[in-house]
Amino acid sequence: MARSPLLGRTHTGKHTYWTTTAGGRRVYFGKVGQVSRKQAETQFADHLKAIRTESNAERDLRLANAPSVWELCDRHNLWYQANRADRSYRQRRSLLQSFCNYQVSGQLYGRGQLIGDLAVDRITLQHAQEFIATIHDPCTRLHHVIAIKASFNWAARPAEADGGGLVPELCQPFKYLKRPHVPPKDLTEADLITPEEYALLLRYAKCDTTKIRGEDGRYRERTDEERFHADDNPYQCFYDLLICFHAFGPRTSEPLNCRVRDFNRRTKQLTLGKHKRTQTQRNTTLRQLMLSEEAYEIVQRRCAGKQPNDPIFTLSNGSAWTQERFNERFREVKGIIKKKFEADKEPTYVRDGIVPYSFRDLYISELLMIGIPPFKVSKMAGTSLKEIERTYGHFFSEDLAAAQEALDLARAEREGKAKVLKMAQ
């Protein structure tokens, strides 16, 4: 006896949708929470009625039609999860979900419907342009364009070429979707971490931000004496990481992903084979992190007694730090410092704009300000010379200062000669 078609739920990351595979292809009926069970069942009944009354020719035509945008994005997410890092997968999944959840307006096909519910072959360039126009942040807009184009290009690529093979190769509606311009980062010397802020972060890096139960049974904030652990401090590793971030300005994830085998004691370096630019470089290179004396001692101490594949920096329970956990801890420490400032127990606080990546901005900017050539800075920072000039170009001004000095000198000499000629006349 054949199984009856069912209305089920499909999880795609953070959200869950009413779906069914009745009819040979997955069909979506809306998001759980936004669409009630009764509404989904009504749509499901209409769908069953439609597929039961269609002829064989109509069924073959329906199955031959392009899949929905939801199905395309779901399939792409599964492929991306298997081939990319967890963090980039979560970002890509979130970007595609917001695109699929956009309700079409204007005079476009599918007005009033979600883009995800539309068939791929009915999507046009204007659908994406309308969605992108609703995003105000240029960087976020760029990320959405990259994610949308990548998913549709993957779907049009044949399966034997590591693609989805979901639509014909000529079905690329977003081929001419332009990447939006992202203006250079407006980074000034006033935006960099100050020595006072760095000292405050180190002072409170080991403090315990959790609450404890008071005598009345309720949770309360810890006192200054209760915030710090004298022995076996569980937050010592966070303190060490802050010193390393200040010492060699890595991307946030780089020291967190380092393994013991990446530590070169003779050259005092951390060498990463897998890093952010390995996916964008045509000829992949190793990422080298130069360690200061203080950072070298920390890494050497953290590697003692560990196996080659063990993470260098670990939590108190022995597990590796994640970028999310590090950012959370950073926010907690900043919060404690701000409370102390508001209580007049600290003369200043760490500004809201200071984040872990600010250490990298400080590192690159200070290298340029002391006269290190930009191509050396780009190699030490593990980024392109173009990016150094675009974002931090205003910090290397020695050549410009020399040029201005030469111009001032030439003008002074010319003015001096003019005065001599005038006196001779």
Side-chain angles (χ1 to χ4, degrees), residues 127-293:
H127 284 90
Q129 290 175 334
E130 182 183 283
F131 166 71
I132 296 300
T134 63
I135 304 171
H136 302 292
D137 180 60
C139 190
T140 306
R141 195 182 303 137
L142 174 63
H143 290 161
H144 275 93
V145 169
I146 293 173
I148 293 169
K149 293 187 69 171
S151 62
F152 277 75
N153 291 341
W154 170 84
R157 199 164 59 240
E160 54 269 20
D162 198 25
L166 299 178
V167 296
E169 292 187 56
L170 296 178
C171 182
Q172 298 186 36
F174 305 135
K175 181 178 181 179
Y176 298 104
L177 182 63
K178 295 182 179 180
R179 291 191 177 190
H181 171 70
V182 179
K185 187 177 181 181
D186 187 18
L187 182 68
T188 64
E189 190 171 351
D191 298 321
L192 302 178
I193 299 177
T194 63
E196 293 78 15
E197 289 174 321
Y198 177 55
L200 281 172
L201 287 170
L202 287 184
R203 185 186 308 170
Y204 289 94
K206 301 178 187 178
C207 74
D208 197 332
T209 59
T210 60
K211 295 182 178 181
I212 58 175
R213 194 182 295 275
E215 296 180 355
D216 58 354
R218 297 180 180 180
Y219 283 97
R220 61 170 178 82
E221 296 285 347
R222 293 175 181 265
T223 63
D224 291 345
E225 294 76 16
E226 294 169 337
R227 286 197 183 281
F228 296 92
H229 300 263
D231 301 319
D232 192 24
N233 193 295
Y235 303 103
Q236 177 67 43
C237 188
F238 180 77
Y239 176 88
D240 292 343
L241 277 168
L242 287 182
I243 294 177
C244 291
F245 273 70
H246 184 264
F248 51 85
R251 296 181 180 89
T252 309
S253 61
E254 288 176 341
L256 308 182
N257 294 334
C258 281
R259 297 293 186 265
V260 174
R261 64 174 181 272
D262 300 326
F263 178 40
N264 299 321
R265 290 172 173 80
R266 292 185 180 181
T267 59
K268 296 184 178 181
Q269 291 179 341
L270 289 173
T271 304
L272 303 180
K274 185 177 180 181
H275 52 91
K276 179 182 178 181
R277 299 194 67 213
T278 53
Q279 298 179 8
T280 58
Q281 288 178 324
R282 183 168 299 177
N283 298 316
T284 305
T285 59
L286 297 175
R287 170 80 166 102
Q288 295 175 328
L289 304 173
M290 301 299 302
L291 304 179
S292 64
E293 289 297 330

Side-chain angles (χ1 to χ4, degrees), residues 1 97 104 110 211 278 349 398 400:
M1 183 176 178
Q97 283 178 353
V104 182
K211 295 182 178 181
T278 53
Y349 68 100
E398 282 199 350
L400 302 180

Side-chain angles (χ1 to χ4, degrees), residues 25-27 59-72 75 109 116-123 152 155 165-168 171-173:
R25 185 181 294 280
R26 185 176 296 278
V27 179
R59 181 178 184 277
D60 294 340
L61 179 62
R62 176 174 57 80
L63 293 179
N65 287 337
S68 68
V69 177
W70 271 122
E71 181 177 353
L72 185 151
R75 296 277 293 277
Y109 168 78
D117 294 331
L118 304 181
V120 174
D121 58 352
R122 303 303 301 271
I123 291 292
F152 277 75
L166 299 178
V167 296
C171 182
Q172 298 186 36

Side-chain angles (χ1 to χ4, degrees), residues 284-406:
T284 305
T285 59
L286 297 175
R287 170 80 166 102
Q288 295 175 328
L289 304 173
M290 301 299 302
L291 304 179
S292 64
E293 289 297 330
E294 188 176 17
Y296 173 76
E297 293 177 1
I298 289 174
V299 174
Q300 190 174 36
R301 169 165 47 83
R302 289 285 167 186
C303 290
K306 293 183 178 179
Q307 299 299 317
N309 290 327
D310 291 342
I312 295 177
F313 299 98
T314 55
L315 294 163
S316 57
N317 60 5
S319 61
W321 280 84
T322 62
Q323 188 165 340
E324 290 77 11
R325 180 66 188 96
F326 184 85
N327 290 336
E328 181 184 356
R329 174 65 183 170
F330 195 86
R331 289 191 295 269
E332 290 173 352
V333 172
K334 282 176 56 179
I336 293 297
I337 295 173
K338 194 164 187 178
K339 287 180 180 179
K340 293 291 184 182
F341 169 75
E342 292 170 350
D344 295 329
K345 293 184 178 181
E346 287 293 349
T348 184
Y349 68 100
V350 181
R351 290 165 290 169
D352 295 338
I354 300 301
V355 294
Y357 198 89
S358 299
F359 286 102
R360 179 171 174 81
D361 289 335
L362 177 68
Y363 176 76
I364 296 175
S365 303
E366 287 187 332
L367 284 175
L368 293 170
M369 285 190 283
I370 64 175
I372 305 300
F375 76 91
K376 286 187 178 180
V377 177
S378 68
K379 188 172 182 62
M380 295 174 70
T383 190
S384 65
L385 180 59
K386 180 180 179 181
E387 181 62 24
I388 292 292
E389 293 177 342
R390 187 177 76 92
T391 306
Y392 307 94
H394 50 291
F395 285 114
F396 56 90
S397 56
E398 282 199 350
D399 294 340
L400 302 180
Q404 183 65 41
E405 185 178 350

Side-chain angles (χ1 to χ4, degrees), residues 95-128:
L95 294 170
L96 292 177
Q97 283 178 353
S98 62
F99 173 64
C100 290
N101 282 323
Y102 175 73
Q103 189 174 27
V104 182
S105 60
Q107 301 301 319
L108 298 177
Y109 168 78
R111 181 180 180 181
Q113 301 181 51
L114 299 182
I115 284 184
D117 294 331
L118 304 181
V120 174
D121 58 352
R122 303 303 301 271
I123 291 292
T124 64
L125 176 63
Q126 288 71 31
H127 284 90

